[in-house]
Amino acid sequence: KEAPVAASRRRKQARKLPPPVTTVNQKIRFVTAIRHLQGSYVPCPGRFLLRAKVTAVFPEDIRRWCKPVNESNGVAWHYFFSITLADATGQQEVVVAREEAKYFLRGIPASNLEENKTSLRLIKKRVAKLLKAESWGMFMVRSYPPPEEEEGDEEFED
């Protein structure tokens, strides 16, 4: 008969948990320093690989990271938050939203984090690891041109 401790350990290993980190296969050949993202010319759109650490998240209250969005088939939840990345050359705030957030928080679907305590706990655990002073990582960051104004968004003048 199997010991209760060994059986419990095996059951924990058998549970499907989201991966602790997200990996994305991108063909970027070199690491970019953050100061190069803040120069006078930054390719846009562009993709950059940064070796950095996360120094802050916003909003700090992780329960506010998910927001309901009206879509054609009803209301869906999406992540909207930012992280501050730092390397030896500077700091850069990076917006993490929608599809990018799905990759960043792979395995934790967007939901109402006020109600979904399991997702909230998993996200808090990941953020705590990221915010440790010794936690450096590789981050793929994309730059986008600002969205064009849609017709009807401009203010009316009399």
Side-chain angles (χ1 to χ4, degrees), residues 13-151:
Q13 290 172 348
R15 286 188 205 147
K16 231 181 175 184
L17 294 175
V21 296
T22 301
T23 57
V24 178
N25 186 12
Q26 295 288 330
K27 294 180 180 173
I28 301 175
R29 299 187 201 291
F30 56 89
V31 175
T32 302
I34 287 178
R35 70 183 159 120
H36 293 298
L37 297 179
Q38 299 165 338
S40 58
Y41 174 75
V42 177
C44 193
R47 283 187 278 180
F48 310 94
L49 183 63
L50 307 177
R51 183 177 185 279
K53 61 182 177 176
V54 178
T55 58
V57 296
F58 181 82
E60 289 181 11
D61 183 357
I62 294 171
R63 292 174 295 188
R64 293 179 45 215
W65 282 17
C66 282
K67 302 207 180 301
V69 176
N70 289 324
E71 295 183 348
S72 60
N73 57 349
V75 175
W77 288 86
H78 291 279
Y79 287 109
F80 295 96
F81 61 96
S82 68
I83 60 174
T84 302
L85 297 176
D87 67 8
T89 67
Q91 292 188 356
Q92 178 68 45
E93 185 175 359
V94 176
V95 174
V96 185
R98 297 188 183 246
E99 294 303 314
E100 286 84 6
K102 284 183 186 177
Y103 287 112
F104 190 75
L105 296 169
R106 187 175 77 187
I108 307 174
S111 63
N112 182 347
L113 296 176
E114 294 281 349
E115 296 174 2
N116 191 336
K117 302 301 181 196
T118 303
S119 291
L120 181 62
R121 183 176 36 80
L122 289 170
I123 294 170
K124 283 183 177 181
K125 195 172 178 180
R126 283 195 194 173
V127 169
K129 286 181 184 178
L130 287 171
L131 289 173
K132 287 184 178 179
E134 68 276 3
S135 290
W136 286 76
M138 302 298 279
F139 296 88
M140 199 274 290
V141 177
R142 294 193 257 186
S143 63
Y144 295 100
E148 293 183 22
E149 287 187 18
E150 292 184 24
E151 192 174 318

